[in-house]
Amino acid sequence: HFEQRSDLLEHIFSPFDGQIYLSIAAHGYTSEFVFFPLYPLAIHVVSFVTAGNLYAAALLITYLSSLIGFLLLIGLLRKDFSKAVALRAGILFLLFPGSLFFSAIYPEALFFCLSVGSLYATRRNHWFVSGALAFLAALTRPQGILLAIPLLFEYRSSMRPRSHRSLLRAITLGAAAPLGVVVFFIFAYFRTGNFLLFFQEEAHVWS
């Protein structure tokens, strides 16, 4: 289906990198190791629900992630602000020009959903869920590694008194997001023999 679809809507909703994500979902990695794997993997899996239509699967993931991420953002903001303020902030976020990527075949919506979900889980002291979502976010976009900072901050703020068990849990929680990046690098190493291929390809793409 990927090769056959060339209509106008496809080019509108899957510009530039979107076509590469669809290609990875259809054929696997060849030389696109600058693109992290969770989004194309999710497209491939969801395509079994969409009768093999990768384009529909990608948009389904994007729109569901946007909706769930928006609801999680409202819930996260409600931890510190009134319902009216949280809702207003959420609407302003959707009106931000960058939210255009939340309606196209890009991993931003999935990354946003997983990142906000991870932060929301920390505020509810669901540490395992928070770490798991941070791990998945880092498998979606390399920037997910930065989730280790707020997760550790929230954990440190909530853990009193300190103990060896809480220290071990903090180390595990802090390592969850970086582990997602490392897993992808290991995958690239077994496929190509180059552990740092991501950096080399990124330098080539953006040079």
Side-chain angles (χ1 to χ4, degrees), residues 48-207:
F48 290 103
V49 178
T50 59
N53 190 320
L54 297 172
Y55 177 74
L59 288 179
L60 180 62
I61 294 168
T62 292
Y63 291 138
L64 282 178
S65 296
S66 297
L67 175 61
I68 296 171
F70 174 77
L71 296 176
L72 287 171
L73 177 63
I74 299 299
L76 180 62
L77 292 171
R78 286 281 285 123
K79 293 290 183 181
D80 299 299
F81 305 99
S82 68
K83 182 178 180 180
V85 171
L87 186 59
R88 191 180 306 121
I91 292 174
L92 289 174
F93 177 80
L94 291 179
L95 294 175
F96 180 71
S99 63
L100 175 66
F101 291 101
F102 288 7
S103 61
I105 297 179
Y106 280 95
E108 272 69 15
L110 179 60
F111 176 70
F112 169 72
C113 179
L114 293 170
S115 298
V116 177
S118 177
L119 296 174
Y120 182 71
T122 63
R123 296 300 302 272
R124 295 177 61 88
N125 294 333
H126 298 325
W127 305 114
F128 177 80
V129 174
S130 176
L133 292 176
F135 171 79
L136 293 175
L139 276 176
T140 307
R141 297 278 296 174
Q143 292 85 350
I145 196 172
L146 297 176
L147 284 169
I149 298 173
L151 264 59
L152 284 175
F153 178 81
E154 285 292 337
Y155 184 78
R156 183 178 182 277
S157 300
S158 64
M159 287 296 105
R160 292 185 177 84
R162 307 290 194 274
S163 66
H164 291 297
R165 183 178 179 180
S166 65
L167 177 61
L168 179 61
R169 186 179 294 172
I171 294 173
T172 304
L173 185 65
L179 182 61
V181 175
V182 171
V183 165
F184 180 54
F185 286 2
I186 292 175
F187 169 76
Y189 174 78
F190 279 106
R191 287 292 302 274
T192 68
N194 188 346
F195 185 77
L196 301 177
L197 182 61
F198 166 79
F199 298 104
Q200 296 173 7
E201 287 207 356
E202 187 176 54
H204 174 71
V205 168
W206 296 110
S207 62

